[in-house]
Amino acid sequence: MNDMRVLLIGSGGREHALAWKLASSPALKELWCAPGNAGIARHARLLDIAAEDLDGLVAWATAHRPDLVIVGPERPLIRGLADRLTAAGVAVYGPQAAAARLEGSKAFTNELLARHGLGQKEFAVFTDPVSAKAYIRRKGAPIVVKADGDAFGKGVKVASTVAEAEEFVDRCMVDKIFGPAGETVVIEECLFGQECTIKVFTDGETVLPMVPSQDYKRVGDGDTGPNTGGMGCYSPVPVLDEQTFAYVVTRIIQPTVRALADEGIRYVGTLYAGVILTPKGPRVLEYNCRFGDPETQVVLPRLESDLLEILQAAVGGRLQEVRPQWSDRRCVCVVMASGGYPEEYEKGKIITGIGDAEELEDVVVFHAGTAQRDGQLVTSGGRVLGVTALGNSFATARSRAYEAVSRISFEKCYYRRDIALRAVEAESNDERVT
Ligand code: GLY
């Protein structure tokens, strides 16, 4: 279908990358984004409707009848936005609530995988803290405790001692710091290895993998400090060989989609598998029901095909007709954040230098927490920009990204200095071998 009128939902770097890619589609006629950010405003008309205002979004879509709605963040999906849009007769890329439970409930996912013989790790589900703690004492540490539901990215504790694990159980189930999301906890064995992300497009039957990526969750260099939404990312992943990649797609992700289908749940959208490469083979640590952030910022620049055509095919159940083409180039994204993130930080700092940064070859600056105030670009969130560069090697992509970062400034700006360093090292070790 041509002359597509599309509504994109969300306001982060992921949504800017989506808007940037969609804007290059010959099939696109009009793009709106709710609520968007200052960077997305270059490609879309912004709507003053929050991504979590389901009533507002459904009312707008019902009145304006876009040809497709693309949902960026997980929360509206978990809360049933796709169901409501579908009921209103509006096509949507993003899973319905029953399928979004793959991210919305850790217990659901573990139990689904176990029912279908796809379980990859030992786990147990508890609704009372006494039994949960008894289980922890029996199993010993290290051990992983997860709040079952959506806990704003803070619901996972990798506990190195039994006491730490028990304390987290109490915080979830007794103190109820995550509300209902922590009333059930899932306790899992602790797996060790390098982590990477494999995302797929799926129409509920066909699964088309995107290129893999590896992100940096901790705030500090050398993977220190608290977890964040992601401080940087790169693609491809040198440590993930083709055989392992194919194994994860065909033996884990594809059967997961089929398992859902067997239970009457059609998953349409992006399925994100957080994979850990253990000495015993790859294991899926978690599923997310959406594109990753900042993973999308390094994956979409490598997509040579028309994103809108792929998403339309997924929604129409025609993904088997599509063959996305990916570039072999390397892509690196460095997140520039507000000082203090992921804890307290200030907003409203004037941002300069993005134009200079984007004059560099193969550099694109994706906005996350930015806004226009009195004609000036200012910070409005923890993660502010995703400075992204392509190159024929990781060394080139990385140096372009950091050169671009050096041209941008805002007060109390913070970024990691070691993004993609291990990919550059892997690349140079590889060169020495060949
Ligand atoms: N970067 C991690 C995520 O999107 O969940």
Side-chain angles (χ1 to χ4, degrees):
M1 181 179 176
N2 285 323
D3 291 336
M4 294 270 295
R5 297 160 63 251
V6 176
L7 168 63
L8 172 65
I9 293 169
S11 60
R14 163 183 52 208
E15 286 77 20
H16 190 185
L18 285 162
W20 167 84
K21 186 66 186 165
L22 290 168
S24 67
S25 170
L28 184 76
K29 181 173 180 210
E30 183 143 29
L31 182 62
W32 295 275
C33 186
N37 62 35
I40 296 173
R42 285 194 232 152
H43 312 290
R45 275 207 277 164
L46 302 192
L47 304 176
D48 189 15
I49 310 173
E52 298 187 21
D53 176 3
L54 269 53
D55 290 342
L57 292 168
V58 174
W60 189 92
T62 306
H64 295 83
R65 315 297 311 168
D67 299 304
L68 181 64
V69 176
I70 302 165
V71 185
E74 67 278 13
R75 204 149 298 129
L77 292 166
I78 292 169
R79 289 174 51 209
L81 179 58
D83 310 59
R84 291 184 58 184
L85 288 169
T86 305
V90 177
V92 53
Y93 181 81
Q96 307 238 326
R101 290 185 80 198
L102 278 186
E103 177 161 4
S105 168
K106 316 286 179 281
F108 169 80
T109 303
N110 275 311
E111 285 166 351
L112 175 90
L113 297 180
R115 269 198 306 281
H116 291 264
L118 299 168
Q120 291 199 304
K121 49 186 182 286
E122 201 179 351
F123 76 97
V125 178
F126 296 95
T127 51
D128 81 280
V130 175
S131 328
K133 288 194 271 187
Y135 179 83
I136 288 169
R137 284 194 293 276
R138 211 161 57 244
K139 290 288 169 188
I143 196 157
V144 181
V145 184
K146 294 181 174 177
D148 174 51
D150 173 20
F152 295 84
K154 296 194 187 303
V156 177
K157 178 79 186 173
V158 181
S160 46
T161 64
V162 166
E164 247 180 61
E166 288 189 279
E167 190 194 320
F168 194 68
V169 166
D170 279 339
R171 287 169 66 72
C172 292
M173 303 182 99
V174 181
D175 305 340
K176 297 191 191 296
I177 57 168
F178 304 123
E183 281 171 4
T184 297
V185 298
V186 180
I187 300 178
E188 296 177 1
E189 70 175 302
C190 195
L191 300 172
F192 298 94
Q194 280 214 46
E195 289 179 36
C196 62
T197 301
I198 300 178
K199 300 198 291 291
V200 301
F201 301 105
T202 181
D203 57 10
E205 204 175 312
T206 301
V207 161
L208 293 182
M210 304 182 210
V211 287
S213 55
Q214 198 160 29
D215 83 338
Y216 289 79
K217 292 202 170 62
R218 300 292 196 93
V219 75
D221 285 0
D223 295 327
T224 53
N227 269 332
T228 67
M231 293 301 293
C233 209
Y234 58 83
S235 174
V237 180
V239 77
L240 179 69
D241 58 61
E242 268 179 40
Q243 207 183 345
T244 308
F245 177 75
Y247 177 91
V248 173
V249 173
T250 59
R251 305 287 292 276
I252 306 177
I253 302 178
Q254 169 78 262
T256 301
V257 171
R258 205 175 308 124
L260 281 173
D262 287 348
E263 299 203 5
I265 300 168
R266 178 174 169 230
Y267 191 111
V268 178
T270 293
L271 181 57
Y272 165 131
V275 176
I276 184 159
L277 305 171
T278 78
K280 291 186 186 159
R283 304 278 187 268
V284 170
L285 275 181
E286 60 172 2
Y287 278 118
N288 293 325
C289 62
R290 52 173 170 81
F291 288 93
D293 188 347
E295 289 88 338
T296 307
Q297 290 87 310
V298 293
V299 166
L300 291 184
R302 297 188 56 209
L303 178 61
E304 293 175 334
S305 308
D306 181 355
L307 175 67
L308 189 49
E309 192 186 322
I310 301 170
L311 304 190
Q312 266 187 280
V315 172
R318 295 181 287 100
L319 261 193
Q320 83 281 4
E321 295 169 13
V322 178
R323 291 278 169 279
Q325 298 299 311
W326 299 94
S327 128
D328 283 338
R329 303 185 81 200
R330 278 56 183 135
C331 193
V332 172
C333 171
V334 179
V335 170
M336 299 181 76
S338 302
Y341 172 79
E343 312 298 339
E344 294 286 295
Y345 57 83
E346 293 169 26
K347 298 182 187 175
K349 308 294 181 193
I350 294 167
I351 306 168
T352 58
I354 291 182
D356 290 343
E358 288 193 319
E359 275 175 14
L360 290 164
E361 196 183 346
D362 284 328
V363 166
V364 52
V365 178
F366 294 120
H367 292 227
T370 70
Q372 287 289 345
R373 194 190 61 194
D374 304 328
Q376 277 181 313
L377 184 68
V378 297
T379 65
S380 67
R383 291 189 292 177
V384 177
L385 301 169
V387 181
T388 305
L390 283 160
N392 292 338
S393 66
F394 274 118
T396 307
R398 180 173 193 272
S399 73
R400 280 183 183 146
Y402 275 104
E403 168 63 23
V405 164
S406 74
R407 295 182 180 197
I408 298 173
S409 55
F410 53 91
E411 205 185 308
K412 298 194 178 161
C413 159
Y414 170 78
Y415 57 92
R416 275 182 68 156
R417 316 267 160 170
D418 61 349
I419 302 300
L421 202 53
R422 62 176 173 241
V424 174
E425 282 163 8
E427 186 173 63
S428 66
N429 288 340
D430 234 29
E431 273 159 20
R432 274 200 285 275
V433 172
T434 51

